[in-house]
Amino acid sequence: MNWTLLAIAALFIGPFLIWRARRNAQPVFDAEQMSESALWGYFLILVGAWGLLSLFANPSDLFFLVMMVAAVLALFAKLRGYKAKGNERPLPDWAAFGFSNALVLAAIGLGKTFVIEPMQIPSSSMRPGLVVGDFILINKFAYGVRIPFLNEAVVPVGKPQRGDVVVFRYPMDTRLNYIKRVIGIPGDSVEYHNKLLTINGVKVDSVPVAEYRYSDGAEGSIQAVRMRETLDGKGHDTLNVPGAPTLVPPGVQDFPGREEFCKHDETGFSCTVPAGKYMMLGDNRDNSNDGRYWGFVPDNHLAGKAFLIWMNLGELGRIGTKIN
């Protein structure tokens, strides 16, 4: 589905609905009297603007900005002398929209920006724990209260720990949100050679537990081995595809700190994680675009910690599953 075209369509339909409402509407003096046509028109404009602006900035920041528009309209209307009810002069539709929706939209925007954010899993990089079609919840408060756009923590709460499943802004394109598992924290020496993970000189336990087959679009059916990995005393499952390379050297990008902190070859990679940054890998180790290819995730790219699958329309049994 082309979301950009839908956003453009919303930006055309929204003003049309408002124009039609103005042609047919009687003067209103209370926000509650706003016509449904105009109401939907303004909502479509907000949705369309959010969709188009998402081409240029991270959608999470833009959502906060768009949801606050109604509050700004209500404030501007107040400054112009309008009230939510009992006006002596007709109330403009934009002011009625602001008065009617400011609190609800602001609450949604603040909640999604600072408390909990939903996300849909788009790829198989975190199998077997997370699959395509999972809708998950992210604890935005886990790693501090952050300023939108700057994403700097103004209220420190916690730091990512090894084994956390984290949503973050993709370092190569911060408009995109990625989800991976924290493998290395600042100061760690991380090695992944011949599909064996070592952290600070200690081999991470990983044992096969079952066969695992899944379908992945054009690649068709993939046969893998489900591995039980124990990291800092906490267990989670990863996948190993027999015969697949640990690393494809031509795919390694020229990321900041590559020459200083990392070494790559056909058997894998080794990196020392710099201060203020983290090393992330996908659980589907042989089918994941992760830190081995594009380097480290800075602290100001963190979005939050994934903690729950709240919906999967294709597999209802996954609803309510905690993310380990």
Side-chain angles (χ1 to χ4, degrees):
M1 184 177 292
N2 192 320
W3 295 108
T4 301
L5 288 179
L6 288 177
I8 293 173
L11 284 177
F12 276 99
I13 296 172
F16 171 76
L17 292 177
I18 295 171
W19 170 79
R20 191 179 69 173
R22 287 176 177 175
R23 286 191 63 191
N24 303 324
Q26 298 295 321
V28 300
F29 298 89
D30 293 341
E32 295 177 355
Q33 297 172 341
M34 183 181 185
S35 74
E36 289 191 11
S37 179
L39 179 65
W40 279 107
Y42 280 102
F43 273 123
L44 286 176
I45 289 174
L46 293 184
V47 171
W50 176 71
L52 284 187
L53 290 174
S54 295
L55 297 175
F56 308 100
N58 190 279
S60 297
D61 291 332
L62 293 170
F63 188 88
F64 172 76
L65 185 66
V66 168
M67 290 299 100
M68 297 305 291
V69 166
V72 173
L73 290 176
L75 178 60
F76 185 65
K78 282 261 185 197
L79 295 175
R80 293 286 301 272
Y82 292 106
K83 298 177 290 183
K85 293 184 178 182
N87 293 278
E88 296 181 355
R89 51 180 172 152
L91 187 65
D93 48 33
W94 58 266
F97 177 80
F99 284 132
S100 299
N101 299 281
L103 290 178
V104 172
L105 295 184
I108 294 172
L110 290 170
K112 185 176 181 294
T113 302
F114 300 111
V115 184
I116 292 178
E117 181 175 9
M119 174 184 176
Q120 184 178 11
I121 300 299
S123 74
S124 292
S125 71
M126 288 298 290
R127 281 183 182 270
L130 296 173
V131 305
V132 176
D134 281 345
F135 288 85
I136 66 171
L137 293 179
I138 306 158
N139 180 357
K140 302 295 293 287
F141 197 72
Y143 306 131
V145 177
R146 295 173 180 268
I147 303 173
F149 293 98
L150 298 178
N151 209 42
E152 297 288 349
V154 291
V155 181
V157 176
K159 293 289 186 180
Q161 303 298 311
R162 299 185 199 96
D164 286 359
V165 177
V166 174
V167 174
F168 55 91
R169 300 167 191 231
Y170 178 39
M172 297 300 175
D173 186 351
T174 55
R175 296 173 299 174
L176 305 176
N177 289 327
Y178 269 32
I179 181 168
K180 305 293 178 187
R181 190 178 298 276
V182 178
I183 299 300
I185 60 177
D188 279 350
S189 175
V190 178
E191 298 183 27
Y192 188 57
H193 290 284
N194 298 315
K195 303 190 180 182
L196 297 176
L197 179 62
T198 302
I199 300 176
N200 297 327
V202 179
K203 178 183 174 183
V204 175
D205 289 337
S206 182
V207 296
V209 293
E211 298 294 313
Y212 187 93
R213 182 183 294 274
Y214 69 97
S215 297
D216 194 19
E219 296 185 22
S221 180
I222 297 175
Q223 181 65 53
V225 178
R226 190 171 189 141
M227 310 289 291
R228 187 64 175 175
E229 185 173 272
T230 304
L231 188 59
D232 284 3
K234 297 177 290 186
H236 57 266
D237 287 354
T238 65
L239 293 184
N240 177 358
V241 179
T246 304
L247 180 78
V248 181
V252 180
Q253 302 184 50
D254 187 20
F255 57 82
R258 174 181 173 180
E259 298 298 327
E260 181 180 0
F261 296 104
C262 296
K263 294 180 180 179
H264 295 78
D265 58 33
E266 290 77 9
T267 68
F269 77 96
S270 59
C271 289
T272 298
V273 184
K277 298 186 178 182
Y278 300 88
M279 172 59 68
M280 312 282 192
L281 293 181
D283 288 346
N284 191 354
R285 296 284 160 79
D286 298 318
N287 188 13
S288 175
N289 177 26
D290 51 34
R292 75 190 101 174
Y293 294 106
W294 41 254
F296 309 104
V297 175
D299 182 82
N300 65 2
H301 283 39
L302 300 175
K305 181 179 179 181
F307 68 94
L308 184 73
I309 299 170
W310 67 273
M311 179 59 69
N312 186 310
L313 297 175
E315 300 181 54
L316 298 180
R318 297 181 59 79
I319 297 174
T321 302
K322 293 182 179 180
I323 299 173
N324 297 318

